[in-house]
């Protein structure tokens, strides 16, 4: 309200009809200007009172946040704002802030917009109201409610993802070198056998003109065909390793996903006498991840753990003091979500552990050497890190750390102790 209107309002009873009309016109003009400015904002803006009932909002807020009904409706202000929001995470955030009287807090969310996902930041700050004191010489400030701003950060998030992918292309140099090495051997075998065939045909033409025996030709051609198949497999695996992942990122609860994933593979593990133990966060944050790729990551590491456990206990069937165990443990530490996947299997020596994420490196007779490469690739797509600690004949711990995007949850820490592997010596692998 302008200073003119403020002064006149204190003498309203003494105004003439003409003066009162001027005051009303001035107030209407200011209100119109403020309304136009409010609707012109690209940032969503919602004003609520102390009970979180709607006072006012702009169109950007309705565009960015899924609401059950239009905020411009007559009855929108009769219920708390969180009851109008058609998203359980945003609704829960608003409800908790209202119940706890929290202000100056913000949190990121993902919302579905048709076949696309939009990322937004919701921030709550106090709605401060100034009122002149009785003498009119100063102003008293009171908290009249809250101001909720909604910002679309989709473009920024996508740019960060693209930048991350561009940086990851640098790793293709090592991958290309590995492929060149893998292709070299089949090409050499093909070249040698073709030369042998050429010599045999040339010799037969210089002699009696008869071709070599059929079995002789078939043996060489079979080797050539086999090596061509190997080349094709190498190329297919290479394309699989370098092709950009089809990622559909959203804010998801990783512990809820871990419970579902463990429920999927647990029957197989139990049928083979391997126990599955879950020790998850007390209050799991939501992470910016792709749920399908997260599932692929966990299952891949779980299957590797099962193979390692079977290898160890098959080699020592007289071990009776312990059984095979897979542990899934999560915690929040230093603004990161930490996931430990530990087993008490055969373990690895330091040399093997240092190479397991390299393309085409495998210790299995039938392995492609790309399983853990894909795990590494998925973790990096989530802007995380993965580390491995292993002790031969005692077990292995894979530690995955993923960034927590929500600022509020960064204040909470659920620190986990080191994972004690169930080896004969009770070896403990400390987790950072």
């Amino acid at each position: 309200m302008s200073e003119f209107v403020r002064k006149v309002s204190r003498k309203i009873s003494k105004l003439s009809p003409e003066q009162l009309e001027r005051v009303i016109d001035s107030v209407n003009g200011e209100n119109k200007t403020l309304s136009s400015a409010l609707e012109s904002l690209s940032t969503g803006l919602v004003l609520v009172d102390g009970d979180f009932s709607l006072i006012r909002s702009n169109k950007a807020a309705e565009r960015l946040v899924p609401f059950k009904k239009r905020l411009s409706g007559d009855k929108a202000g009769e219920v708390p704002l969180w009851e109008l929001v058609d998203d359980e995470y945003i609704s829960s955030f608003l409800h908790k802030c209202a119940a706890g009287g929290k202000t100056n807090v913000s949190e990121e969310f993902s919302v579905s917009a048709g076949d696309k996902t939009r990322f937004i930041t919701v921030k709550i700050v106090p709605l401060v109201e100034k009122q002149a004191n009785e003498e009119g010489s100063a102003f008293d400030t009171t908290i009249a409610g809250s101001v909720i701003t909604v910002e679309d950060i989709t473009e920024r998030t996508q740019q960060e993802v693209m930048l991350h992918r561009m940086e990851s292309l640098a790793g293709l140099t090592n991958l290309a070198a590995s492929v060149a090495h893998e292709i070299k051997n089949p090409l050499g075998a093909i070249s040698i056998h073709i030369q042998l065939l050429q010599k045999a045909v040339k010799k037969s033409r210089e002699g009696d003109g008869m071709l070599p025996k059929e079995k002789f030709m078939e043996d060489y051609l079979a080797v050539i065909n086999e090596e061509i198949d190997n080349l094709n497999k190498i190329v297919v695996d290479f394309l699989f390793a370098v092709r950009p992942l089809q990622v559909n990122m959203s804010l998801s609860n990783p512990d809820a996903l871990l419970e579902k994933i463990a429920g999927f593979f647990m029957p197989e593990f139990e049928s083979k006498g391997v126990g599955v133990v879950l020790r998850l966060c007390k209050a799991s944050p939501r992470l910016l991840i792709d749920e399908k790729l997260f599932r692929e990551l966990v299952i891949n590491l779980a299957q590797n753990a099962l193979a390692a456990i079977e290898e160890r206990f098959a080699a020592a069937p007289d071990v009776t003091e312990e059984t095979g165990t897979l542990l899934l443990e999560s915690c929040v530490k230093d603004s990161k979500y930490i996931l430990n996947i530990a087993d008490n299997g055969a373990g690895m020596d330091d040399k093997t552990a240092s190479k397991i994420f390299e393309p085409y490196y495998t210790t299995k007779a039938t392995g492609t050497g790309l399983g853990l490469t894909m795990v590494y690739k998925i973790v990096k797509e989530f802007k995380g890190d993965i580390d491995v600690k292993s002790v031969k004949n005692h077990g292995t711990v894979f530690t995955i750390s993923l960034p927590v995007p929500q600022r509020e949850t960064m204040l909470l820490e659920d620190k986990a102790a080191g994972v004690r592997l169930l080896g004969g010596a009770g070896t403990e692998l400390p987790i950072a």
Side-chain angles (χ1 to χ4, degrees), residues 359-420:
Y360 301 107
Y361 182 82
T362 180
T363 58
K364 301 176 183 177
T366 58
T368 64
L370 290 174
L372 289 176
T373 300
M374 182 55 63
V375 167
Y376 182 85
K377 189 175 179 180
I378 292 172
V379 171
K380 289 302 178 181
E381 193 72 27
F382 295 165
K383 301 181 182 178
D385 292 299
I386 183 170
D387 184 39
V388 60
K389 291 184 174 65
S390 190
V391 177
K392 192 69 175 176
N393 296 323
H394 288 298
T396 302
V397 180
F398 284 93
T399 301
I400 300 168
S401 61
L402 302 176
V404 177
Q406 295 83 1
R407 300 172 189 174
E408 183 182 7
T409 54
M410 289 181 180
L411 300 176
L412 302 175
E413 289 199 357
D414 177 23
K415 297 183 179 179
V419 177
R420 181 176 292 278

Side-chain angles (χ1 to χ4, degrees), residues 13-278:
S13 61
K14 301 178 181 180
L15 298 180
S16 65
E18 293 77 10
Q19 290 173 323
L20 185 59
E21 185 176 350
R22 285 178 57 196
V23 173
I24 293 174
D25 289 342
S26 178
V27 171
N28 286 336
E30 285 196 9
N31 186 62
K32 185 177 180 180
T33 301
L34 291 174
S35 295
S36 298
L38 189 68
E39 294 301 334
S40 300
L41 293 174
S42 60
T43 298
L45 194 64
V46 181
L47 306 181
V48 294
D49 60 20
D51 297 323
F52 255 66
S53 295
L54 179 68
I55 299 175
R56 193 164 186 173
S57 65
N58 64 356
K59 292 180 180 178
E62 295 195 46
R63 186 180 72 252
L64 296 174
V65 179
F67 288 100
K68 298 176 183 177
K69 60 175 68 175
R70 294 184 63 84
L71 296 184
S72 55
D74 295 335
K75 297 184 178 181
E78 297 179 2
V79 295
L81 183 65
W82 63 80
E83 294 187 9
L84 299 176
V85 177
D86 193 18
D87 183 283
E88 62 173 317
Y89 293 113
I90 301 177
S91 176
S92 175
F93 171 69
L94 295 175
H95 194 184
K96 288 179 180 178
C97 290
K102 294 182 180 180
T103 56
N104 295 312
V105 294
S106 65
E107 191 164 336
E108 295 178 7
F109 300 92
S110 59
V111 294
S112 297
D115 58 345
K116 296 182 179 179
T117 300
R118 179 190 293 128
F119 300 96
I120 62 174
T121 297
V122 179
K123 185 176 182 179
I124 302 177
V125 297
L127 175 60
V128 180
E129 187 176 86
K130 286 185 177 182
Q131 292 181 340
N133 59 23
E134 294 181 357
E135 294 77 17
S137 58
F139 294 99
D140 295 328
T141 58
T142 59
I143 304 299
S146 298
V147 179
I148 302 171
T149 58
V150 185
E151 184 181 358
D152 190 337
I153 59 170
T154 304
E155 184 176 351
R156 186 183 74 192
T157 302
Q158 290 175 344
Q159 288 176 347
E160 291 175 353
V161 171
M162 291 300 297
L163 178 62
H164 175 72
R165 289 180 179 177
M166 291 175 64
E167 291 173 348
S168 67
L169 290 176
L172 290 180
T173 303
N174 293 334
L175 184 59
S178 299
V179 172
H181 178 75
E182 292 291 327
I183 289 177
K184 183 178 179 180
N185 292 334
L187 284 177
I190 291 173
S191 177
I192 290 173
H193 285 81
I194 288 177
Q195 290 176 34
L196 291 173
L197 283 174
Q198 289 174 332
K199 289 181 180 180
V201 171
K202 181 179 180 181
K203 184 177 180 181
S204 65
R205 284 177 178 174
E206 293 174 349
D208 54 13
M210 299 291 291
L211 290 174
K213 294 181 180 180
E214 185 176 342
K215 186 70 169 69
F216 174 85
M217 299 285 287
E218 287 180 346
D219 286 345
Y220 284 158
L221 290 174
V223 172
I224 292 173
N225 285 329
E226 182 180 350
E227 294 302 329
I228 290 174
D229 289 340
N230 288 337
L231 279 174
N232 182 65
K233 185 175 183 303
I234 290 171
V235 171
V236 170
D237 288 343
F238 173 75
L239 292 175
F240 174 76
V242 301
R243 185 180 291 116
L245 295 173
Q246 297 297 320
V247 182
N248 183 21
M249 305 286 266
S250 62
L251 287 168
S252 304
N253 186 321
D255 284 357
L257 292 175
L258 283 172
E259 290 180 349
K260 292 181 181 179
I261 297 168
F264 169 76
F265 62 70
M266 194 175 293
E268 177 188 0
F269 278 60
E270 291 179 344
S271 68
K272 297 181 179 181
V274 178
V276 178
V277 179
L278 274 71

